[in-house]
Amino acid sequence: MAPAPIVLDSDPGLDDAVALQYLLGTGLWDLKAYTAVGGNAPVEQAFRNARGLARAFGIDGDVPVHRGGGRTVGRVVSDSDFHGPTGLGEEVLPDSTAPEQSESAASALIRLSHRYEGELTVVATGPLTNVATALLQDPGLAHRVRRLVFMGGAAQVPGNCTPLAEFNVWADPDAADLVVSSGIPYTMVGLDATHGWRFTHEDLVRLDAAGPGQEMTARFMRTYLRAYKTNHGDGSCPLHDPLAVGVAADESFVATETGTVIVQCDGDLGRGQTVYLPQDKAEGYAYPPHVLARTQHTGRVALATGPRDFSAHFTETLLRRPSV
């Protein structure tokens, strides 16, 4: 079977970086564009990181890297310092040798959705700003994309940015709500599932032992483990963004249900909360009309880990795809 067309929309980001490596290592996808969005780092730094990663993983010049918009839909500052001063710890990667693309991330998404109508998968591992911008420019995108898988949200568990909100959704809640209400076929891979698949120090030892081609990846994951140890006291780190890439090919990595997601966009406490309304229980509640109308738009929501071991598959796949 020929690799399927895909766009990776990312805010690299340590786990975003290895999500790209994992995607390439699977051999399942024909990466048509790598688009950058502000989140773990401001958009310009995220764009520089994306270009550097394209070079590091040997797709320099073959896969175009597109810059996202300079502002979130909700016009809030979304960059975080969790991933270090550059977004990739302290790593400063050599720039791509390819000329910079003048086409924006949103325009690239629209163009590719026409070219690969009914075939294109989009995986978003950062805030949904670029996807929402594309939908604002061309609502028909929602019906041309085969599937959107996004890392974000917390359906039945606490958030990681506030008690109620996961970071990617909190960073641009207006964008997230626009996307999940657009009619686009989506799967939300949030903290309910991503906290269940972990990368451990034993996995890091395997990367270190692999030698040439895995040194950069090992540095990324060592920094990521250290960040979780410092901020959360954890001896392992969740595989947030790689899991979204994994689910795009195989949903058995997670347990999903169908339902409606509504994002809280206002208020300091509730901002970014993803309210999940299970489809099979929608008729049992007296929803107000505007909420009932939203239940017409449903998606798949990952609520737990699935039967297939993603942690093992992730590390094995990285070992098959070294940097150059």
Side-chain angles (χ1 to χ4, degrees):
M1 183 181 297
I6 194 170
V7 172
L8 181 59
D9 186 55
S10 179
D11 62 335
L14 295 162
D15 56 333
D16 304 81
V18 294
L20 171 64
Q21 183 181 2
Y22 169 79
L23 184 152
L24 297 171
T26 66
L28 298 173
W29 301 105
D30 181 4
L31 185 58
K32 296 299 182 182
Y34 186 31
T35 56
V37 63
N40 290 321
V43 66
E44 188 60 33
Q45 182 64 51
F47 177 62
R48 295 296 158 198
N49 289 349
R51 283 176 57 86
L53 289 167
R55 178 173 178 170
F57 291 127
I59 58 173
D60 203 24
D62 297 325
V63 176
V65 179
H66 299 269
R67 181 190 281 106
R71 287 184 168 187
T72 61
V73 172
R75 288 176 170 77
V76 295
V77 176
S78 61
D79 54 290
S80 163
D81 61 2
F82 186 87
H83 292 253
T86 71
L88 297 174
E90 297 185 357
E91 201 90 14
V92 178
L93 300 178
D95 190 23
S96 169
T97 60
E100 289 192 13
Q101 296 287 325
S102 59
E103 185 181 36
S104 71
S107 295
L109 282 168
I110 293 169
R111 173 177 55 80
L112 291 167
S113 75
H114 281 287
R115 183 171 180 181
Y116 300 99
E117 184 169 355
E119 302 177 63
L120 185 67
T121 295
V122 178
V123 174
T125 62
L128 287 167
T129 310
N130 288 339
V131 181
T133 301
L135 285 165
L136 286 170
Q137 294 176 9
D138 182 356
L141 172 79
H143 308 293
R144 295 190 300 270
V145 168
R146 177 177 173 270
R147 188 184 187 197
L148 166 70
V149 181
F150 69 91
M151 189 279 129
Q156 297 175 341
V157 299
N160 63 355
C161 181
T162 74
L164 299 175
E166 177 278 328
F167 175 78
N168 283 343
V169 175
W170 175 90
D172 198 348
D174 300 275
D177 197 52
L178 188 155
V179 169
V180 296
S181 63
S182 69
I184 198 168
Y186 70 84
T187 300
M188 182 178 98
V189 180
L191 303 182
D192 307 72
T194 63
H195 276 159
W197 293 125
R198 316 289 292 195
F199 184 89
T200 68
H201 283 280
E202 288 74 20
D203 297 317
L204 181 61
V205 168
R206 294 186 67 193
L207 287 181
D208 282 329
Q214 296 294 349
E215 300 94 337
M216 182 184 70
T217 304
R219 289 196 301 272
F220 287 159
M221 295 311 293
R222 185 173 288 107
T223 301
Y224 198 43
L225 282 165
R226 188 182 306 121
Y228 268 89
K229 180 68 173 177
T230 300
N231 289 276
H232 302 291
D234 293 343
S236 62
C237 55
L239 294 169
H240 297 301
D241 296 339
L243 182 60
V245 176
V247 169
D250 187 352
E251 202 168 276
S252 70
F253 290 126
V254 296
T256 59
E257 290 184 4
T258 299
T260 297
V261 175
I262 299 175
V263 181
Q264 298 296 319
C265 298
D266 300 318
D268 294 332
L269 179 61
R271 168 186 153 151
Q273 181 183 12
T274 44
V275 179
Y276 170 60
L277 310 176
Q279 184 180 43
D280 60 356
K281 297 178 181 177
E283 295 181 358
Y285 295 93
Y287 293 131
H290 71 282
V291 173
L292 195 60
R294 284 289 297 270
T295 63
Q296 303 307 306
H297 297 295
T298 60
R300 302 288 288 169
V301 177
L303 295 177
T305 57
R308 188 178 178 194
D309 186 339
F310 181 72
S311 295
H313 186 260
F314 170 73
T315 302
E316 290 292 338
T317 302
L318 291 191
L319 293 172
R320 294 199 299 266
R321 180 71 191 218
S323 60
V324 299

